[in-house]
Amino acid sequence: MENPIYVSLSRQMTLRRQLDVISNNIANMNTTGFKQQRMLFTEFLERPGMHEQISFVQDRAVVRDLSAGGMMQTGNPLDMALTGHGYFTVDTASGPRYTRAGNFRLNDQRQIVDGGGLPVLGDNGQPLAIPNGTKDIMVSGDGTVSTELGQVGRLNIVTFRNEQLMTEVGAGLYVSDEEPQAAPADTKVAQGMLENSNVKPVVEMTALIEIQRQYQSNQKLIENEHERIRSAIQKLGRTA
Amino acid sequence: MRSLAIGATGMIAQQLNVETISNNIANATTTGFKKQRAEFQDLLYQNFRRIGSTSSDAGTIVPTGVQVGAGVRVAAVARVLEQGNLTVTDNKLDVAVNGSGYFQVQLPSGDTAYTRAGNFKLSPEGIIVTADGYPVQPAITIPAEAVDVAINASGEVMVKLDGQVAQQNVGQLQLATFANAAGLEAVGDNLFLQTGASGEAVGGNPGAPGFGRVVQGALETSNVNIVQEITTLISAQRAYEMNSKVIKTTDEMMQQASQLR
């Protein structure tokens, strides 16, 4: 009897979660290397009786939009952006993590570290350290880091067979169970640039309005259903 | 609702962004000032459906999970150490550093501070001091009978005494570099202090490998690019507005839920 309410409720719950995803996109509008996310919904079919079927809605997945964000020129030699698919590798206590946020700097040991202070790894699995007494840091398109004294090493730029299987762990970092692969040849490092988030504010704003309106119409449906049941009880309960 | 808190993290982050930009703009004409940039990071993610979980009895695996982020935070306000432009002032005691390195200044507490602002003056005793009167290290005294002061690119301070032809070397300006100069702590008055993140100061003469040269009669302007700051300001303001829109939407949805009969 109350199935319409539950169906409506299933939509309202997914809408709330969708709102959370949209808010996170908007909050990270200016986060370097952030990829916007959107929700996938699926139908959840139930057959309570012989000839009836009810479909609920279920939030199936959150997928990342892997398209490139806009490039911003900073002039800082340790700001790096990746064009094409690929991730920088950083070292954490629990193993390598991958990131698109190339706002790097030097730490007190002159190692290249990311915004959170985690060392950026070279293709030999070791952090890259800029020798003392050097001024110019040059990064070529293939990720080779050199100074006026010569080559320092090469950034470890990797990709994964299925990038959607990567899990966000916050602070712009991802982790994956898959084996990292060498990034395709057309992935290039752009020095002095940063990749902006690829959040499209207009899309997010319209999504926000749509969520709100859909929530309202579901609310209306629940209220109508409530009214229907109440009047049914009143009419049926009236003694003849 | 989670989105209420997420919107709030966005507004807080953008507020700090605007504060950083306003400080840059306020210091656009401060000698030796280095602009700062707020950097953001996404917060933790909550897994509602873990990636790689099975979706049926047949063992099929969901290709993507349901992960909802908790918003944004300011990871750092990083200092951009790009060289500022040099403006010629023709003042004998204005010295700019072209390249890396900081002048060393002795604070009244005895600690050493570091600065890029080379608008030096003379103290009543003839010692080269900063605009605030703190002596530059190593201390250099200009004799009272000097009629001309020349500072060459490698920091040697030469004076010409009244009635003498030959110049006399009265001292050597020294610079300090750091493994990570962006890790210096700004204490105001154009001064920086060494921290654990910056590494130990390494002293050296201007022009030595790894050290910039000094230019007499010039000052380093701030490296603030006003046009860039204004465009960042606009985008920060819009981002703030959109985050407040998230909060408004969430509020309206919660209101509807609470009015449900």
Side-chain angles (χ1 to χ4, degrees):
Chain A
M1 262 313 249
E2 292 83 26
N3 277 334
I5 290 180
Y6 288 134
V7 170
S8 208
L9 209 53
S10 78
R11 180 62 185 138
Q12 278 191 322
M13 283 168 71
T14 57
L15 278 170
R16 280 188 165 212
R17 204 170 279 176
Q18 195 183 4
L19 178 66
D20 292 343
V21 172
I22 301 282
S23 341
N24 192 48
N25 285 346
I26 293 174
N28 283 292
M29 219 164 75
N30 288 347
T31 303
T32 305
F34 181 80
K35 299 291 173 198
Q36 67 146 335
Q37 300 172 317
R38 68 196 155 82
M39 269 201 142
L40 277 187
F41 299 106
T42 50
E43 196 180 19
F44 185 86
L45 215 58
E46 204 193 27
R47 293 176 200 279
M50 277 285 277
H51 301 294
E52 51 178 330
Q53 60 179 44
I54 311 169
S55 48
F56 294 88
V57 64
Q58 198 182 21
D59 39 2
R60 196 70 182 156
V62 174
V63 291
R64 265 192 307 282
D65 173 4
L66 295 171
S67 66
M71 292 288 175
M72 176 176 74
Q73 191 154 11
T74 66
N76 197 345
L78 281 169
D79 281 340
M80 298 174 215
L82 286 175
T83 59
H85 288 263
Y87 298 86
F88 298 108
T89 315
V90 297
D91 196 20
T92 71
S94 39
R97 298 286 182 269
Y98 306 94
T99 184
R100 292 278 292 187
N103 49 334
F104 300 147
R105 60 189 65 132
L106 294 180
N107 67 6
D108 57 334
Q109 287 138 43
R110 289 182 75 86
Q111 286 176 342
I112 301 180
V113 294
D114 79 345
L118 299 168
V120 179
L121 294 181
D123 55 2
N124 57 357
Q126 293 301 314
L128 293 167
I130 303 296
N132 262 317
T134 54
K135 285 183 290 191
D136 296 331
I137 300 168
M138 287 147 304
V139 184
S140 63
D142 65 345
T144 307
V145 181
S146 44
T147 67
E148 66 259 37
L149 294 182
Q151 202 167 314
V152 171
R154 193 162 165 262
L155 291 164
N156 191 33
I157 298 160
V158 297
T159 190
F160 294 89
R161 207 163 46 86
N162 185 351
E163 292 177 57
Q164 293 293 355
L165 277 181
M166 299 173 81
T167 315
E168 281 108 344
V169 290
L173 304 179
Y174 300 94
V175 66
S176 179
D177 292 336
E178 290 188 339
E179 271 301 304
Q181 301 172 338
D186 57 348
T187 298
K188 292 272 180 274
V189 184
Q191 189 184 14
M193 310 271 268
L194 284 178
E195 183 184 2
N196 287 333
S197 87
N198 66 352
V199 174
K200 296 179 196 71
V202 181
V203 177
E204 305 299 327
M205 281 292 123
T206 47
L208 202 61
I209 295 167
E210 204 183 320
I211 289 170
Q212 194 178 9
R213 295 299 170 214
Q214 287 195 20
Y215 193 84
Q216 277 173 355
S217 28
N218 275 286
Q219 198 82 6
K220 190 86 192 148
L221 197 145
I222 293 176
E223 272 174 37
N224 289 345
E225 184 63 9
H226 165 76
E227 205 54 49
R228 187 184 67 78
I229 296 170
R230 198 170 67 151
S231 69
I233 291 169
Q234 277 173 351
K235 279 178 188 156
L236 292 173
R238 209 176 289 147
T239 43
Chain B
M1 275 167 88
R2 203 172 287 108
S3 51
L4 208 56
I6 297 173
T9 65
M11 286 177 84
I12 293 165
Q14 292 310 325
Q15 191 177 330
L16 196 123
N17 198 5
V18 171
E19 283 162 5
T20 309
I21 297 163
S22 14
N23 190 45
N24 285 347
I25 295 176
N27 283 294
T29 52
T30 303
T31 307
F33 179 79
K34 299 291 175 196
K35 68 182 173 195
Q36 290 178 295
R37 190 180 68 204
E39 290 176 358
F40 304 106
Q41 279 183 347
D42 45 357
L43 283 171
L44 291 176
Y45 285 78
Q46 193 174 358
N47 279 293
F48 293 101
R49 183 195 300 269
R50 194 163 280 285
I51 291 174
S53 58
T54 48
S55 61
S56 71
D57 294 342
T60 49
I61 287 173
V62 288
T64 45
V66 177
Q67 281 198 301
V68 180
V72 67
R73 73 179 180 114
V74 179
V77 179
R79 202 169 284 281
V80 180
L81 298 177
E82 249 184 310
Q83 172 85 39
N85 291 330
L86 299 189
T87 43
V88 176
T89 62
D90 286 337
N91 189 341
K92 297 280 179 204
L93 284 173
D94 281 344
V95 193
V97 183
N98 187 7
S100 54
Y102 291 79
F103 295 114
Q104 302 166 70
V105 172
Q106 192 179 16
L107 297 180
S109 62
D111 292 333
T112 306
Y114 303 91
T115 184
R116 291 281 291 189
N119 47 342
F120 298 141
K121 312 275 183 294
L122 284 185
S123 73
E125 298 82 36
I127 301 169
I128 297 182
V129 294
T130 66
D132 284 322
Y134 304 144
V136 176
Q137 293 292 307
I140 298 165
T141 310
I142 306 290
E145 56 272 28
V147 290
D148 196 17
V149 182
I151 302 169
N152 66 15
S154 49
E156 284 169 330
V157 183
M158 318 287 275
V159 294
K160 188 175 174 297
L161 299 178
D162 199 12
Q164 288 190 5
V165 179
Q167 289 194 328
Q168 198 181 335
N169 188 335
V170 291
Q172 166 78 52
L173 279 176
Q174 273 205 337
L175 295 177
T177 58
F178 297 89
N180 170 29
L184 289 170
E185 182 193 357
V187 290
D189 300 338
N190 288 340
L191 299 176
F192 295 93
L193 293 180
Q194 180 180 318
T195 67
S198 66
E200 289 287 318
V202 181
N205 291 342
F211 292 86
R213 286 172 297 114
V214 292
V215 183
Q216 189 187 19
L219 286 177
E220 183 185 7
T221 62
S222 83
N223 64 353
V224 176
N225 178 341
I226 290 291
V227 179
Q228 197 181 24
E229 297 300 325
I230 297 292
T231 49
T232 323
L233 187 64
I234 294 169
S235 85
Q237 186 186 1
R238 295 298 171 219
Y240 189 85
E241 282 174 13
M242 285 184 205
N243 280 293
S244 78
K245 183 90 170 75
V246 167
I247 291 177
K248 191 162 158 268
T249 306
T250 312
D251 175 44
E252 282 168 12
M253 279 166 65
M254 284 169 83
Q255 195 185 19
Q256 285 160 32
S258 68
Q259 280 170 355
L260 191 66
R261 285 174 296 153

